[in-house]
Amino acid sequence: MTEQKIRIGIVGARAYTARELLLILARHPRAQVAVLQARVDDPVPPGDVFGVLRGMDLPDIVDVDFSHLPADLNAVFLCLPHTAAAEYAVPLMERGLRVIDLSADFRYGSLKTYESVYGVTHPAPELMAKAVYGLPEIRRASIIGAPLIANPGCYPTAVILSLAPLMKRDLVVPGTIIADCKSGVSGAGRTANDVTHFCGANESLKAYKVAEHRHESEIEEQVSRLAGETHTVTFVPHLVPMDRGEYATVYAKLKEPMTADNVRRMFASYYENEPFIRLMPGSALPDTKNVANTNFADIAVRVDERKQRLIVTTAIDNLVKGASGQAVQNFNISYGLPETMGLV
Ligand SMILES: NC(=O)c1ccc[n+]([C@@H]2O[C@H](COP(=O)([O-])OP(=O)(O)OC[C@H]3O[C@@H](n4cnc5c(N)ncnc54)[C@H](OP(=O)(O)O)[C@@H]3O)[C@@H](O)[C@H]2O)c1
């Protein structure tokens, strides 16, 4: 007997993350894309927006209009900038649809932090309490059946995964976390500016938003929650001239003397049953090439024992584990499907 498909909509269907979602959902046996909406004047075949989608059996992208959603729709992915996502989440949730939001709108427990960091008034603060932070490796239980899933930011995914086993045991000295991170240009979305334009980014390496990147506060909130005490994080992102991929090198001081072997064993036990975490063996280190187009996070753990300093390096694909792959992982968990469905 064929199992019934879960009918899916994507709003913001011309976004980079939407392209990635469509590629993943094409090989998902239980998901069917029923509607694609974006700001368009006339219906557009998705293959006209992203050539890689040409020939795929997908509905045309139509203008955003929730009075024309299919009656049997089940879930909607929002591939939109912050505030637009929250505005659209309200009517979708009123219709009883499950929402997976890729923006930052529902990632925070604190409305005050969100509004001060993003410099906006939250369009739907009443929905914040309904949202769960969709990083399965730390919040799996709360994602099951959740009506509103806040998909984490790409950098926070890499940095929190680099620290979670130790934060959970409260083994890191507050105020000592430094996250030195690099991202490919697709992390900035499809609209180019002077920095992300080919001529600005190519053959160059540059830090940006030092001490002012919004993901810093998202990381701080989540690692503090895990540890049960307040942690600040120094987060410095860099733009790397590659299409996709993200690399986090995370430093922290340990509260008690630990050997590298101890810490490695702790990571191995914490991530033992995680289908998308690959701890690097021996002296191997992660590489963005080896996670490109996959939902894996490759993690290597080191301890400089003389200084009691932890050094973790993690590689993910910002568009997959950092965005759309993780969104499908959350979708699977939320609907009680095998977590890896469509993703491996
Ligand atoms: N890129 C990444 O690696 C990444 C990773 C994690 C999370 N995210 C988050 O995921 C979301 C999507 O990111 P992205 O990189 O895919 O974005 P993107 O490529 O820049 O696309 C954003 C899309 O949002 C649409 N849009 C903007 N305002 C809208 C509105 N008011 N109503 C309807 N559509 C609107 C734009 O539509 P038009 O086509 O009409 O201009 C555009 O297609 C963002 O919140 C981003 O922060 C991105």
Side-chain angles (χ1 to χ4, degrees):
M1 198 180 75
T2 6
E3 285 178 293
Q4 211 184 348
K5 302 248 183 184
I6 300 164
R7 310 249 303 151
I8 288 185
I10 297 177
V11 182
R14 297 198 304 178
Y16 271 2
T17 49
R19 167 193 184 277
E20 216 59 32
L21 262 178
L22 289 169
L23 288 170
I24 295 167
L25 292 172
R27 47 177 200 258
H28 195 296
R30 291 292 309 282
Q32 183 179 23
V33 178
V35 61
L36 296 173
Q37 294 195 347
R39 296 183 298 191
V40 291
D41 294 330
D42 298 307
V44 193
D48 285 4
V49 180
F50 297 114
V52 67
L53 303 175
R54 233 170 247 138
M56 282 172 52
D57 183 19
L58 289 167
D60 281 356
I61 300 171
V62 296
D63 197 20
V64 181
D65 178 358
F66 294 164
S67 60
H68 284 94
L69 291 175
D72 56 356
L73 199 64
N74 301 110
V76 174
F77 291 85
L78 299 177
C79 298
L80 299 164
H82 62 281
T83 68
E87 277 166 30
Y88 289 141
V90 177
L92 294 170
M93 289 195 62
E94 279 168 359
R95 290 177 62 133
L97 296 169
R98 214 169 276 194
V99 172
I100 301 174
D101 174 25
L102 280 81
S103 86
D105 282 345
F106 299 106
R107 291 180 194 157
Y108 288 80
S110 160
L111 174 64
K112 199 168 146 220
T113 306
Y114 168 86
E115 291 193 335
S116 76
V117 169
Y118 279 81
V120 294
T121 301
H122 199 298
E126 71 285 359
L127 289 184
M128 287 178 80
K130 294 197 169 143
V132 298
Y133 190 74
L135 187 59
E137 292 77 7
I138 62 166
R139 305 255 178 271
R140 181 170 287 105
S142 61
I143 298 166
I144 301 166
L148 174 58
I149 298 170
N151 218 55
C154 45
Y155 284 125
T157 295
V159 176
I160 298 164
L161 291 176
S162 304
L163 290 166
L166 293 167
M167 303 315 291
K168 202 77 186 158
R169 292 178 176 222
D170 193 16
L171 287 170
V172 169
V173 179
T176 65
I177 300 171
I178 296 174
D180 176 290
C181 297
K182 281 105 193 157
S183 176
V185 183
S186 61
R190 62 180 303 193
T191 309
N193 57 37
D194 284 347
V195 176
T196 60
H197 187 291
F198 181 83
C199 299
N202 187 42
E203 294 294 334
S204 193
L205 177 64
K206 187 179 179 181
Y208 65 100
K209 295 190 181 161
V210 176
E212 57 178 2
H213 195 289
R214 289 158 167 168
H215 284 175
E216 188 171 272
S217 57
E218 184 182 332
I219 299 165
E220 285 180 347
E221 192 179 278
Q222 292 302 325
V223 294
S224 300
R225 247 180 94 179
L226 281 171
E229 65 180 333
T230 303
H231 280 263
T232 53
V233 175
T234 298
F235 166 62
V236 182
H238 299 74
L239 186 72
V240 180
M242 54 189 192
D243 289 354
R244 53 167 73 219
E246 215 149 76
Y247 205 89
T249 305
V250 181
Y251 308 84
K253 197 134 174 92
L254 295 167
K255 278 187 176 171
E256 53 191 64
M258 292 177 78
T259 63
D261 272 357
N262 272 344
V263 178
R264 246 185 247 126
R265 268 199 295 275
M266 213 172 269
F267 271 67
S269 136
Y270 188 89
Y271 286 131
E272 194 180 5
N273 298 313
E274 291 299 340
F276 295 112
I277 304 292
R278 300 190 298 197
L279 293 180
M280 302 300 289
S283 61
L285 290 164
D287 185 324
T288 56
K289 259 198 194 333
N290 294 328
V291 293
N293 301 295
T294 82
N295 200 48
F296 290 114
D298 282 1
I299 302 177
V301 184
R302 298 284 185 275
V303 175
D304 181 338
E305 291 177 22
R306 194 167 61 88
K307 302 173 200 122
Q308 278 307 298
R309 196 177 304 285
L310 171 82
I311 306 167
V312 183
T313 47
T314 297
I316 61 168
D317 184 323
N318 57 294
L319 287 170
V320 188
K321 183 60 177 164
S324 307
Q326 184 139 266
V328 173
Q329 189 181 353
N330 281 321
F331 166 83
N332 289 340
I333 297 169
S334 158
Y335 278 96
L337 301 171
E339 196 164 324
T340 55
M341 195 174 261
L343 291 166
V344 287

